[in-house]
């Protein structure tokens, strides 16, 4: 069993790869139910496997616990955790995954709110008179 952690925006994903039949479970739900049958999100999750030429992780049961942010941020966190776990399985996978950018943490996150402003940069309306 291999456990990896991935983060994106406010999302944190913990991925467990267990040798098995190819089931993917996110937060106790089947993959299709959790991502609302969105094929784009499904492709985000499996991109590290596809880039290595592996067939959608049919050799592993993937158990994912993810929290925070929205669905897209969660999928980015899962993708990073999957790539990290693949590197733990076989260290030779690190070079192709890193060259395609799957091992780089996307550090963009929401900017903090500043005092005197409504949001991070939005100021209240200015009135001359």
């Amino acid at each position: 069993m291999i456990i990896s952690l991935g983060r994106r925006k406010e999302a944190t994903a913990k991925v467990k790869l267990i040798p098995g039949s190819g089931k993917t479970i996110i937060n106790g739900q089947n993959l299709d139910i959790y991502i609302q049958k969105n094929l784009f999100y499904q492709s985000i999750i499996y991109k590290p496997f596809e880039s290595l030429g592996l067939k959608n992780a049919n050799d592993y049961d993937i158990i994912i616990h993810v929290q925070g942010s929205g669905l897209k941020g969660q999928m980015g966190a899962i993708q990073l955790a999957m790539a990290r776990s693949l590197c733990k399985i076989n260290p030779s996978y690190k070079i192709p995954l890193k060259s395609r950018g799957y091992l780089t943490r996307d550090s963009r996150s929401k900017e903090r709110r500043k005092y005197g402003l409504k949001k991070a940069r939005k100021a209240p309306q200015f009135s001359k008179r």
Side-chain angles (χ1 to χ4, degrees), residues 19-79:
S21 59
K23 293 185 295 184
T24 304
I25 297 170
I26 302 177
N27 290 348
Q29 296 179 349
N30 194 6
L31 172 70
D32 291 334
I33 295 170
Y34 190 81
I35 64 170
Q36 301 155 8
K37 297 184 180 178
N38 190 329
L39 296 176
F40 176 68
Y41 289 153
Q42 188 171 349
S43 71
I44 289 175
I45 291 175
Y46 290 123
K47 279 241 168 95
F49 286 99
E50 291 167 5
S51 69
L52 294 171
L54 303 173
K55 293 289 182 185
N56 281 356
N58 287 335
D59 301 336
Y60 297 100
D61 286 340
I62 303 167
I63 299 170
I64 303 164
H65 179 73
V66 65
Q67 61 185 13
S69 190
L71 268 180
K72 194 165 184 179
Q74 288 181 351
M75 296 308 117
I78 292 170
Q79 183 185 48

Side-chain angles (χ1 to χ4, degrees), residues 50-108:
E50 291 167 5
S51 69
L52 294 171
L54 303 173
K55 293 289 182 185
N56 281 356
N58 287 335
D59 301 336
Y60 297 100
D61 286 340
I62 303 167
I63 299 170
I64 303 164
H65 179 73
V66 65
Q67 61 185 13
S69 190
L71 268 180
K72 194 165 184 179
Q74 288 181 351
M75 296 308 117
I78 292 170
Q79 183 185 48
L80 177 61
M82 293 274 228
R84 285 179 175 172
S85 59
L86 285 172
C87 286
K88 287 182 182 177
I89 291 172
N90 188 350
S92 67
Y93 290 158
K94 184 173 184 175
I95 295 165
L97 288 173
K98 191 160 181 73
S99 67
R100 291 182 178 102
Y102 295 125
L103 291 176
T104 305
R105 191 224 193 269
D106 192 347
S107 62
R108 293 176 295 171

